[in-house]
Amino acid sequence: MSESHPPLRSYGRMKSRPIKPRQAALMNTLLPQIRAPIEPFDPRTLKPDAAEVWLEIGFGGGEHMAAQAARSPEVLILGAEPFLNGVASAVRHVDEQQLSNVRIHDGDVRALLERLPDACLARVFILFPDPWPKARHNKRRLVQPEVIAELARVLKIGGALRFASDWADYIDWTLERFLKSPHFAWPAERADDWRTPPADHITTRYEEKRLGDCAPVFLDLLRK
């Protein structure tokens, strides 16, 4: 990252509770083997036979990322998560399922995006990110114009981006900002297109808690 950039800041707790001993051991042994490079890189060099490269932003405990990786072994999945407990949980999933097609960035996704080449991703998932519901905290939300611009850069033409949330204001916020971008389209035609979980969606424990103020909404956007 250029020295002209302000330092990245991920809001919230970096660790909420002690990491279990087995997960802590995997953080020391497995994570270094599957950590995304810290320099600019082409994801296909990590898995030369990958049919596609996907990215999950804020993978939480890693259940969705691991399940998608197990379901699509021909795909390389990059995952970004700044919170240590989530990373520890994800590394455990990778170990238990013996996944060879996952690479993890344990930090702010904006640093990872800067290291990726243009048009390298076929899919992006942003599932139930922190809504920062208070108006004075909205600036902390992940979905901001500069992040959308970076996502447009790294997504291939025709690439898909799925955003899901159970906070009505964040859904409106996200749709408004993506549709202001000339690079994204929302092809939904009927309510079921956003109210019904997509066929390939994998429900996580966080989603099941229903902590938001509305039923989950799924926005499937396309890179124009």
Side-chain angles (χ1 to χ4, degrees):
M1 184 185 305
S2 167
E3 291 183 358
S4 63
H5 285 270
L8 294 178
R9 179 177 179 184
S10 297
Y11 294 94
R13 296 176 296 176
M14 297 305 291
K15 188 171 75 169
S16 62
R17 61 188 182 278
I19 295 174
K20 297 177 181 178
R22 179 166 175 267
Q23 294 181 0
L26 290 171
M27 292 280 279
N28 291 326
T29 57
L30 181 56
L31 180 58
Q33 299 176 39
I34 63 173
R35 181 178 277 128
I38 62 173
E39 301 295 334
F41 68 101
D42 184 339
R44 289 190 179 274
T45 63
L46 306 179
K47 183 176 170 58
D49 62 344
E52 293 181 340
V53 181
W54 301 353
L55 168 65
E56 181 162 349
I57 299 175
F59 54 68
E63 304 106 307
H64 177 273
M65 178 176 64
Q68 292 286 5
R71 178 187 287 176
S72 303
E74 76 284 1
V75 171
L76 173 67
I77 300 186
L78 305 176
E81 174 60 62
F83 304 116
L84 295 180
N85 295 92
V87 173
S89 174
V91 172
R92 175 178 60 82
H93 286 300
V94 171
D95 180 63
E96 290 179 349
Q97 299 182 48
Q98 294 295 292
L99 301 172
S100 61
N101 58 332
V102 172
R103 298 294 182 273
I104 290 176
H105 170 70
D106 48 328
D108 193 299
V109 71
R110 292 171 292 173
L112 177 63
L113 291 173
E114 288 185 352
R115 300 201 294 267
L116 295 178
D118 295 354
C120 65
L121 302 179
R123 296 191 75 178
V124 173
F125 298 96
I126 307 174
L127 305 179
F128 302 93
D130 194 324
W132 294 108
K134 294 181 179 179
R136 68 178 183 272
H137 292 153
N138 284 176
K139 62 185 178 182
R140 299 181 179 183
R141 288 175 169 174
L142 170 70
V143 177
Q144 303 289 348
E146 59 272 18
V147 172
I148 293 173
E150 274 291 89
L151 291 171
R153 181 184 67 80
V154 298
L155 265 170
K156 296 179 176 180
I157 301 300
L161 185 149
R162 177 172 297 158
F163 175 92
S165 179
D166 52 5
W167 285 88
D169 176 66
Y170 201 2
I171 295 160
D172 292 341
W173 166 288
T174 297
L175 190 57
E176 177 185 358
R177 281 154 182 78
F178 269 102
L179 294 185
K180 281 183 177 179
S181 166
H183 304 298
F184 287 95
W186 185 43
E189 297 178 348
R190 57 186 66 86
D192 282 351
D193 291 339
W194 63 85
R195 291 178 181 169
T196 302
D200 63 346
H201 176 63
I202 296 161
T203 303
T204 66
R205 287 178 297 170
Y206 178 86
E207 180 183 347
E208 290 175 340
K209 292 178 181 178
R210 298 296 180 96
L211 299 176
D213 61 1
C214 69
V217 168
F218 300 86
L219 305 178
D220 278 343
L221 299 134
L222 295 177
R223 173 68 166 89
K224 294 196 290 186

